[in-house]
Each structure stands twice: as C-alpha cells, then as structure tokens.
Amino acid sequence: SGEEEVENQKSNNILGADHTTDLWALGAVLYHLHVGTTPFVSPSPYLTFLKIQRGNLYRPLAIADDDAWDLMTKLLKVNPKERLGADCFEVVANDDDDGGSGDNEHLKPNKIVKHRNGYDVIRNHPYFSGRKKKSENDDKNEMECDGDNEHL
C-alpha cells in the first residue's frame, strides 16, 4: 500500500528533499536556459515521469557546448548520490537531547555537514571556467570604455 511505501522510504531516509534536490534543480535550470524547454518534456505528465525515472535525457542540437552538456548530465542523474557535488555535504540526524520524551523526534531538523570545500567541485567545472575568463575580459573592456567617457 501507499502507507507502507512511505514508511519504507522514511526508514531508508530517502523521503524528502536535501541538497541533492537543489543540484537537480540547477541542472534543470541550466538545461532550460540553453534549450528553452524543460529537460524531460513529454506530451503527458506520466510520460514525463517515466523519462525522469529512467533518466532518459537526450542532447538537443541547441546545446552545442560540450562543457554545458557535461555539467547538465552530471547534475541530472537519477540517483541523487551520483550527482556532481552530492558528496560535498552530508545530512545527519540531529541527535541533540532535548530532555523530552521523544514525541517530537520527527520535528527535529537534520544537520548538514560540509565536506572539503563545499561546492568547489561545481565552481571548478570547465563550464564555469570558460565563462569566468569571458566575464573578466568584459570587465576590462567596460573599464576601458568608462575611462574613455571621462574625456567626452
């Protein structure tokens, strides 16, 4: 039954959202910005669900940048533990003793523990390194233009 499935998910700690959900969302937003549609667009919600569940992500012609595609596929993994940056943080149960009877155990928020340098693995992805160089050059060009305007 549905209740048994929810209890099974609770006991395996897979119910709810954590930082890996945000990684998925980042991949979906990047895809949408490059293509103009959602990553798993289908004629019906059920077919969309099946595409997501099976990880059927196909590269459209609109994504010409190999680094962009690499980043999107690494963020849109079906298994949350396989997503780029998933191992940068860990969600652990809050074991603080509140002196109570334990009735409010489900209300305690989990703790998030940061590993290494957090999301540096994403910041250092080649997709962003190419954009960083371009933006630095743009800043230099803007400074030169600003300097020229002072003489007008």
Side-chain angles (χ1 to χ4, degrees), residues 19-20 22-24 26 70-77 79-88 119-126 128:
H19 64 287
T20 60
D22 294 334
L23 296 172
W24 173 278
L26 176 60
D70 180 66
L71 180 61
M72 289 176 220
T73 57
K74 288 180 178 177
L75 291 170
L76 291 170
K77 296 279 186 187
N79 183 346
K81 293 178 182 177
E82 294 177 3
R83 294 178 192 150
L84 183 67
D87 60 348
C88 295
Y119 287 137
D120 280 353
V121 67
I122 296 173
R123 286 184 206 98
N124 294 331
H125 188 276
F128 294 112

Side-chain angles (χ1 to χ4, degrees), residues 72-121:
M72 289 176 220
T73 57
K74 288 180 178 177
L75 291 170
L76 291 170
K77 296 279 186 187
V78 175
N79 183 346
K81 293 178 182 177
E82 294 177 3
R83 294 178 192 150
L84 183 67
D87 60 348
C88 295
F89 294 91
E90 179 183 5
V91 179
V92 295
N94 188 346
D95 293 331
D96 292 340
D97 186 18
D98 60 1
S101 63
D103 292 338
N104 295 326
E105 200 65 31
H106 66 284
L107 298 177
K108 288 183 182 178
N110 291 330
K111 293 181 182 178
I112 298 178
V113 178
K114 180 178 171 181
H115 296 288
R116 296 182 309 272
N117 292 324
Y119 287 137
D120 280 353
V121 67

Side-chain angles (χ1 to χ4, degrees), residues 39-73:
F40 300 97
V41 67
S42 295
S44 74
Y46 181 70
L47 291 176
T48 301
F49 167 76
L50 289 177
K51 283 176 101 175
I52 293 169
Q53 187 181 44
R54 295 173 183 166
N56 292 344
L57 182 65
Y58 301 103
R59 183 176 182 169
L61 295 174
I63 303 176
D65 184 352
D66 291 335
D67 291 332
W69 180 246
D70 180 66
L71 180 61
M72 289 176 220
T73 57

